[in-house]
Amino acid sequence: MSSPTTYRFSFGPWNISTGADPFGPTVRNEMEYARKLKAYKELGFDAVQFHDDDIVPADLDWQATLRGTAEVKKILDGEGLFVEIIAPRLWEDPRTVDGAFTANNPADRKYAIDRAKRCADLAREVGCKNYVLWLAREGTYIREAKCAKTAHARIVDAWNALLEHDKEIRIMGEAKPNEPVDHAYLPTVGHMMAIGYKTIDPSRSGVLIETAHSLLAGLDPADDMAFALFHDKLWSVHLNDQNGLKYDQDKVFGSVDLRRAFNQVWVLEKAGYGKNGECVGLDVKAMRTTTFEDSTLHLANSRTMFLRLLDIVRSVDEKQVEELRAARKYEQLEMLILNTLMGKKN
Ligand code: XUL
Ligand code: MN
């Protein structure tokens, strides 16, 4: 039997937020950048996930970008942190209002590709080869606004341009069915993987799966993960939780549905996720009611939930599970899992 995985954890600095939402302003002070980076090790995390402009503003010239990036890299090295993934923020600039790679205006599409390439250059500067595309605005509010078939071709063209621009990065698509757009062009993990296979280098095209995004698509996150793991395409995750079909809630991992979280940890653990250096990434939000002093608790709590569920997964007697599966005794199997989750003897 191979040795147990020692999991490494990551999150993005946007997970420590000021609590603004679409209906109200900030409710907590902004935490100073260096303090955010200091919080990682204190909370038991190993790696940082970045958007391009989480490192340096997107409109700096290249020399200023290099200087800013070097400063951030120095802080990371000092903290003993590495950069797990980097993603271009293609949804805030006025030129991305109508989409990034699928915008109808050619000049806007060019802006998006240039910015995405610049993000790959940044990744190189911070020693990161994992590149994430969350295609926030690639979709429509009304279907007649764009030619959907052309849009898919444009996404593949942009993905290819990035693979060509940097021959070492690997690109992970992060699917989400809605929000901010009404209908996203690549709503599910399956869609994202199909696009990856259409690129010039499928071996460098994979996925990052976020729990809440699978749930918003009406899918089971553990099954989505298993599907990507079967294809050797699950290269990162954003674990969190979600109360049904609402806005994207990014709640603490396991806080809504313990068994569903257990199933995700089970699938990751059984497939050896993490053994090739993958991190357990979190994408979680503090409640708006949380104070500044407590504004990293949701991260620590999500990590603790993962580790506690991991203990539970590892405590389940695999032989017993196999026997119950073989005998089709699923009522007993269900009680075995429920009892284990509740800390009861079977
Ligand atoms: C949006 C989302 C993003 C991506 C990173 O719902 O999850 O934070 O994870 O761009
Ligand atoms: Mn995410």
Side-chain angles (χ1 to χ4, degrees), residues 143-158:
R143 274 310 186 217
E144 299 82 4
K146 293 177 188 173
C147 169
K149 190 161 172 262
T150 304
H152 289 295
R154 285 181 173 156
I155 291 171
V156 173
D157 287 349

Side-chain angles (χ1 to χ4, degrees), residues 14 51 91 134 174 176 210 213 238 248 283:
W14 69 90
H51 294 117
W91 53 92
W134 171 47
E174 180 179 350
K176 183 177 180 184
E210 174 162 329
H213 297 180
H238 274 172
D248 187 9
D283 199 358

Side-chain angles (χ1 to χ4, degrees), residues 256-296:
V256 177
D257 189 330
L258 264 187
R259 189 171 177 188
R260 193 165 64 195
F262 165 84
N263 289 147
Q264 290 166 70
V265 179
W266 175 287
V267 158
L268 294 171
E269 165 75 0
K270 302 285 176 203
Y273 180 86
K275 287 203 186 295
N276 296 315
E278 303 90 350
C279 288
V280 174
L282 302 173
D283 199 358
V284 285
K285 266 193 207 86
M287 295 176 220
R288 196 160 188 264
T289 44
T290 303
T291 60
F292 178 82
E293 289 67 39
D294 289 343
S295 60
T296 57

Side-chain angles (χ1 to χ4, degrees), residues 107-152:
D108 290 346
R109 292 201 298 277
K110 181 172 179 329
Y111 163 77
I113 291 192
D114 288 347
R115 176 150 176 186
K117 285 182 181 169
R118 178 185 165 278
C119 180
D121 299 342
L122 273 185
R124 186 169 277 273
E125 292 302 320
V126 291
C128 169
K129 292 186 177 159
N130 292 325
Y131 187 102
V132 169
L133 281 177
W134 171 47
L135 299 172
R137 298 199 185 276
E138 312 299 10
T140 52
Y141 301 96
I142 58 164
R143 274 310 186 217
E144 299 82 4
K146 293 177 188 173
C147 169
K149 190 161 172 262
T150 304
H152 289 295

Side-chain angles (χ1 to χ4, degrees), residues 150-214:
T150 304
H152 289 295
R154 285 181 173 156
I155 291 171
V156 173
D157 287 349
W159 195 306
N160 283 340
L162 288 168
L163 289 169
E164 290 218 300
H165 179 74
D166 188 318
K167 300 278 191 301
E168 290 190 354
I169 51 162
R170 50 180 202 170
I171 301 178
M172 302 167 216
E174 180 179 350
K176 183 177 180 184
N178 58 277
E179 202 194 36
V181 288
D182 186 0
H183 297 289
Y185 284 132
L186 300 174
T188 69
V189 173
H191 286 83
M192 202 53 90
M193 283 185 31
I195 287 293
Y197 283 121
K198 286 289 275 186
T199 66
I200 51 170
D201 195 350
S203 74
R204 290 195 288 135
S205 303
V207 292
L208 175 155
I209 296 183
E210 174 162 329
T211 312
H213 297 180
S214 291

Side-chain angles (χ1 to χ4, degrees), residues 83-94:
V83 181
E84 187 220 347
I85 59 163
I86 176 159
R89 200 191 297 271
L90 295 170
W91 53 92
E92 286 186 359
D93 189 273

